[in-house]
Amino acid sequence: MTSKLLQATALVTMIAMVPVATGAMAAADTATYRELDKFLEVYNRVKADYVDKVTDEQLMKGAIDGMLAALDPHSSYVDGSDFDNLRIQTEGSYGGLGLTVSMEDGAVKVVAPQEDTPAGRAGIKSGDYITHIDGKLIYGGTLDEATAQMRGKPGTKVNLTLVRPGRDKPIEVTLVREVIVQRPVKWETKGDVGYININTFSGQTGADTRAAIASIDKALGHRPLGYVVDLRENGGGLLDQAIEVADAFLERGEIVSQRERDAANTQRYFAKPGDNAHGLPVIVLTDAGTASASEIVAGALQDHHRALVMGVRTFGKGSVQTLLPLGPRTALRLTTARYFTPSGRSVQEGGIEPDIKVPQLTDPDYKNRPVFREADLRRHLINEIKSPDNAVLEEDTKEDPRFSATPDTLKKQGIEDFQLWYALRTIARLGGAQQVAAVTHAMTVPPKPAAAAK
């Protein structure tokens, strides 16, 4: 009995240290102490009577994880390999497959494949579930364990079994690990149209976007007709980089506002004078994987009528997470604010609606594959500012006849990415039929000739 009392006293001291250090204990009332007593009773019962011996570290980490999981899907305690993974996402490189994954009810779910990586080239899609790695069932394991198995020495093989909602049978893929380098921005020219693909918002994304604009001018020897900025399957990243990217296309005005629990603590971020894109037309491509920082960019350019948003509705993550360091390899990733577009819209739950809806017709699963967004996540934040429902006023009952094309028909024409093809041709029309033809030629891959009969 004495040992249990000493143990409980030590734990009370440990728990009390945080509120005292922050000054929060001054406001604590009887109900707070009652809840702490309840926690201590459960802690001691588990420590004394659980079937296996458990450590204080196990129980405290479980308590912290449970506390944060009760808040929202994006708040978490990161330590060890989780901390290293977070660092890699913003600044590093690693040997692996190029997959961003999360844990959902004990299953490993693909958030997004990185373009031009083994995962991206294999056709792995957002929303797929990884059930087996090298033939071994991974359901019920930890995300760390799954991530460690997928990473490894470049040149080595790994077999994944995927379950895709809407498909009857599992999908088996064999991938060869590569050095995955974070290359947030890629660019190229299609005719006289500049194409900028932004796949993540890491430390250099803003600078790389401005460099891409300048490189397109240099490659063409003159300014392009306009730009297509591809934010599809971009799950976000650093807030300051989203602001920099939006600023590259804006001359002035607010980009985003960040509002904390106390309404008085509102931060507003504004564009600096100078539009790197010289006011030329811009189309922003979005899909259900366009989230967070990507939605900040799309929303800002849409609200300022600086860009036409094209594609499908975005993910709808309108919250800001702050990384609060707790130690050399530990941190608290806490949702601290909501963000709003320049017009005061919150994209939480609803996402960014495109100005022109363009389905991805070249994806044979696009009609049947379920799409997961923020609103589908458990305990997601509620949108406190609902946008007016203008669906009836804005509905266009006349569908573009090209939207009736089938994946097979498009494939025969050499079109591998219908949304991008559609966006590039839209900009190219500004240059007349010759530019449309040039973009069409650049975007179509001639079908391979049939093999001769033997």
Side-chain angles (χ1 to χ4, degrees), residues 52-121:
D52 293 324
K53 187 176 181 180
V54 290
T55 65
D56 291 330
E57 184 181 6
Q58 282 178 282
L59 294 179
M60 290 308 297
K61 186 177 187 306
I64 293 170
D65 289 341
M67 176 170 56
L68 294 171
L71 302 178
D72 71 279
H74 308 296
S75 293
S76 61
Y77 175 69
V78 290
D79 66 343
S81 59
D82 284 340
F83 188 85
D84 294 338
N85 291 339
L86 197 60
R87 179 184 56 79
I88 285 170
Q89 288 175 19
T90 57
E91 61 189 46
S93 61
Y94 61 95
L97 306 177
L99 275 175
T100 300
V101 293
S102 64
M103 184 67 76
E104 184 177 286
D105 297 329
V108 176
K109 181 179 178 181
V110 175
V111 176
Q114 186 177 324
E115 187 183 8
D116 197 24
T117 64
R121 292 191 293 269

Side-chain angles (χ1 to χ4, degrees), residues 403-441:
F403 291 176
S404 62
T406 66
D408 287 339
T409 302
L410 294 169
K411 187 176 181 180
K412 289 177 181 177
Q413 297 174 14
I415 300 171
E416 296 185 335
D417 186 338
F418 180 79
Q419 289 174 323
L420 179 56
W421 176 85
Y422 193 95
L424 288 167
R425 282 172 58 93
T426 301
I427 294 283
R429 288 193 189 101
L430 299 172
Q434 185 178 358
Q435 279 299 318
V436 172
V439 163
T440 301
H441 177 74

Side-chain angles (χ1 to χ4, degrees), residues 254-255 257 259 299-300 302-304 340-346 385:
E254 183 177 306
I255 293 173
S257 62
R259 307 180 195 179
Q302 187 181 57
D303 278 4
H304 284 290
F340 296 82
T341 70
S343 66
R345 290 184 296 163
S346 168
I385 300 179

